[in-house]
Amino acid sequence: MNYHKISLAVLSVFFAEGSMAQNYQAIHGSVYAGSLSAGNNPASLIHVPYSWDITPLAFQFKQSSNAFIVKNFSLLSPSGNSIVENTYGVKNRFFFANQDLRLLNARFKLNSRSAIAFGANLRSYMYGTSDKSNYQDTTISLADFQRINVEYQPLGFDAAASTWAETYVSYARTFFDDGYKIVNAGITLKYNRSIAGGYAKGNDIRYIADADTNNPTGFLLTNGRLQYGYSSNIDDARNGGSFNTGALLENTYSNISADIGIEYIFLSSDEEDEDDSYAYKTKLGISLMDIGGNRYRHSSRSRFGNAVKIGINDTILENKFRDVRDIDDFNDSLATISNSLSAITGDFVVYKPTRLVINIDHRIRQNFFVNTEITLPVISLAGKNSLYIKDMNLLAVTPRWETRKFGAYLPVLFNMRKQLWVGGAFRAGPLLLGIHNLANIFSKNRMQNGGMYVALTIRPGKTNNRQDDENGAQKKKQAKKVKCVSF
């Protein structure tokens, strides 16, 4: 068993339930994003030419990895012969995934200067990274792996995952409007239920050549620290050999999180836009998203191990962990090689992927726009001792053409792992369908990098004019005054 297989064995125990976050990249900055725009900047809810919209269902997933390749599989030609293979070479390996399911998200204008949105979401993030190491197709045993990684010591890895359900309410308001420029601000408050979470950290893993003549090509493990934990409700759900979803939702914590944002809009002065008061030349949005964290109770099987016993070589390690089937087997095997192994009790918090999002949406002409977005991971400032999940986004540039009924989008994404993806999306009436990486369609070896999204958004048959919204609001105020006087 090699080093990466040991890491994978630990991670598979924690995250076997899979990863279920939000990234409908094509419509970021668009006035047709509707309630989905609250997931990128709550301030963008107000400058929309519809009095309401409802998204009964939306789903998105994205993943990225250089640790493995999915072969013989694409979205256009799925195959029963698909396989997953390790990648080879010297590099820092990683795996990221985020997904979300949105149910009954809705947005309503209260008047010409304010709007609300609300809904329920199921979200999850997962990541795993390892220090630089070498892995080749000739690596069969642990000793093989150790031999080609002597110069890359100490070895290490870390991973975290968090899944939660949230209900939210957003409020956006116009604070300044002189007919030429508009300033909107918005806030989202979320009530969260922590569903499942976990983490693993391995560091300062060192070894030397084994002086034992019975193991002339082997290695002795000399040091290492390993800490891992996951939420106790996962044990409750697995009790009795089957998985009980109801038990997973019991004994969980609630918490509050928030998003805040501001939007600065330069209205269009073109004569052709005189009939469209929602037309703009440039829109600048700045938001701070996912402020907060999810709290979990440690499982009784969570452990912290420090240092190793004398004489633990590669052969012993392989024998100890070869037949590991679950977390209990892993703990028992670890106890036989560790100098100090203790249970971890109490709670742990996995912070959400707090990030600063800067979005610039510029209109080229008529229905053609270019959206540029930069995502800065503010949560990384929390320090290495904090547990947090990470967002993959860094830079996205999205040319788009859209009308009230149709839209075509070409997002180009450069993520935190220096991967360049070219995506695509289209909107036809209420349906939005997008691909994060078009290689998922045209290549049979790229499914490990990319993902897709789909959303159904229902809107009124006609758009509104801002002047009509303002006149309507004035009429309501006047009618209310008349009613009060009559009474």
Side-chain angles (χ1 to χ4, degrees):
M1 177 179 287
N2 61 51
Y3 167 70
H4 288 291
K5 289 182 179 178
I6 294 174
S7 302
L8 182 60
V10 177
L11 297 180
S12 65
V13 173
F14 301 147
F15 310 132
E17 308 313 320
S19 168
M20 290 262 333
Q22 58 198 27
N23 196 245
Y24 302 84
Q25 191 66 54
I27 56 172
H28 286 187
S30 170
V31 296
Y32 299 104
S35 61
L36 294 178
S37 64
N40 195 53
N41 187 339
S44 60
L45 293 168
I46 184 63
H47 195 75
V48 179
Y50 293 99
S51 57
W52 59 269
D53 58 76
I54 299 174
T55 301
L57 180 66
F59 174 71
Q60 179 276 149
F61 76 90
K62 188 197 300 189
Q63 60 187 24
S64 175
S65 179
N66 70 346
F68 59 86
I69 297 175
V70 180
K71 289 190 172 182
N72 303 322
F73 188 94
S74 73
L75 293 177
L76 284 184
S77 57
S79 170
N81 297 322
S82 59
I83 58 174
V84 178
E85 289 187 355
N86 292 330
T87 58
Y88 305 120
V90 179
K91 55 188 170 183
N92 298 80
R93 287 167 169 80
F94 63 84
F95 173 72
F96 287 77
N98 66 62
Q99 302 166 36
D100 75 59
L101 175 67
R102 306 174 76 91
L103 299 171
L104 295 177
N105 284 215
R107 181 197 62 89
F108 293 93
K109 276 191 178 179
L110 301 177
N111 51 52
S112 62
R113 300 180 71 89
S114 61
I116 62 169
F118 52 85
N121 307 318
L122 178 66
R123 300 177 56 195
S124 181
Y125 282 74
M126 171 195 293
Y127 84 89
T129 62
S130 72
D131 293 343
K132 182 181 291 186
S133 62
N134 188 2
Y135 185 76
Q136 301 295 333
D137 56 357
T138 56
T139 304
I140 299 174
S141 66
L142 177 57
D144 292 337
F145 177 80
Q146 291 174 310
R147 187 173 303 108
I148 61 176
N149 281 280
V150 171
E151 62 183 295
Y152 303 113
Q153 297 184 73
L155 300 173
F157 66 91
D158 73 290
S162 183
T163 300
W164 70 96
E166 65 183 26
T167 55
Y168 76 93
V169 59
S170 301
Y171 176 75
R173 183 171 179 80
T174 299
F175 286 91
F176 180 83
D177 182 356
D178 64 358
Y180 300 97
K181 52 187 175 296
I182 300 173
V183 178
N184 299 325
I187 184 171
T188 299
L189 295 178
K190 307 172 189 175
Y191 174 80
N192 310 295
R193 198 72 176 176
S194 303
I195 296 178
Y199 65 92
K201 297 180 180 181
N203 52 64
D204 203 26
I205 300 172
R206 299 176 185 270
Y207 55 90
I208 60 174
D210 192 351
D212 191 338
T213 56
N214 294 322
N215 191 28
T217 61
F219 296 87
L220 281 172
L221 188 63
T222 59
N223 195 39
R225 287 192 297 273
L226 179 62
Q227 180 177 347
Y228 49 93
Y230 63 93
S231 52
S232 59
N233 59 329
I234 294 178
D235 288 338
D236 298 335
R238 285 175 168 165
N239 190 25
S242 60
F243 193 83
N244 185 336
T245 304
L248 184 69
L249 303 178
E250 296 178 356
N251 302 317
T252 56
Y253 287 106
S254 300
N255 54 80
I256 302 295
S257 61
D259 308 325
I260 57 175
I262 190 169
E263 195 173 62
Y264 197 98
I265 303 171
F266 295 92
L267 295 174
S268 175
S269 57
D270 295 344
E271 291 183 1
E272 63 185 21
D273 294 328
E274 288 182 353
D275 295 332
D276 182 6
S277 58
Y278 283 95
Y280 59 87
K281 191 64 177 176
T282 303
K283 180 167 56 177
L284 170 65
I286 301 175
S287 58
L288 189 61
M289 305 299 295
D290 284 322
I291 307 168
N294 295 309
R295 181 177 295 275
Y296 304 94
R297 174 64 53 86
H298 271 110
S299 162
S300 61
R301 294 173 170 87
S302 304
R303 295 288 187 270
F304 173 70
N306 188 25
V308 295
K309 294 180 179 178
I310 297 175
I312 303 298
N313 60 27
D314 56 284
T315 302
I316 294 174
L317 282 172
E318 288 190 320
N319 290 335
K320 293 287 187 182
F321 292 95
R322 178 177 290 116
D323 296 324
V324 166
R325 294 165 298 178
D326 53 31
I327 186 64
D328 289 323
D329 288 346
F330 186 86
N331 286 344
D332 291 342
S333 295
L334 190 62
T336 64
I337 68 167
S338 176
N339 263 342
S340 174
L341 184 66
S342 58
I344 305 174
T345 60
D347 299 340
F348 65 97
V349 175
V350 181
Y351 290 99
K352 294 182 177 181
T354 309
R355 58 204 181 276
L356 181 68
V357 180
I358 302 172
N359 188 289
I360 302 173
D361 200 72
H362 184 68
R363 183 184 185 190
I364 304 300
R365 63 183 303 274
Q366 293 184 324
N367 300 317
F368 290 91
F369 299 79
V370 172
N371 184 270
T372 303
E373 184 173 276
I374 299 174
T375 302
L376 303 175
V378 178
I379 191 60
S380 61
L381 301 176
K384 63 180 182 179
N385 293 325
S386 299
L387 293 173
Y388 54 85
I389 45 182
K390 305 175 183 180
D391 191 87
M392 289 184 285
N393 286 6
L394 178 59
L395 175 65
V397 178
T398 306
R400 74 176 187 273
W401 172 87
E402 60 182 359
T403 64
R404 183 171 62 88
K405 292 184 178 180
F406 301 101
Y409 313 83
L410 191 68
V412 180
L413 303 101
F414 185 72
N415 65 26
M416 294 294 292
R417 291 293 165 171
K418 302 179 181 180
Q419 294 176 321
L420 182 66
W421 299 350
V422 177
F426 73 89
R427 179 174 56 82
L431 178 66
L432 171 71
L433 182 63
I435 300 291
H436 289 303
N437 187 1
L438 289 174
N440 294 165
I441 297 177
F442 301 111
S443 172
K444 291 189 175 184
N445 301 314
R446 299 290 184 87
M447 280 303 300
Q448 69 276 7
N449 292 306
M452 64 177 295
Y453 46 98
V454 60
L456 183 67
T457 300
I458 302 169
R459 306 177 180 88
K462 294 176 59 178
T463 58
N464 287 359
N465 186 287
R466 280 200 310 128
Q467 279 72 29
D468 294 338
D469 288 341
E470 292 172 0
N471 292 336
Q474 291 293 334
K475 289 179 180 179
K476 288 181 180 179
K477 289 182 180 179
Q478 292 174 2
K480 190 173 182 180
K481 288 181 180 179
V482 171
K483 186 176 181 180
C484 291
V485 171
S486 299
F487 176 76

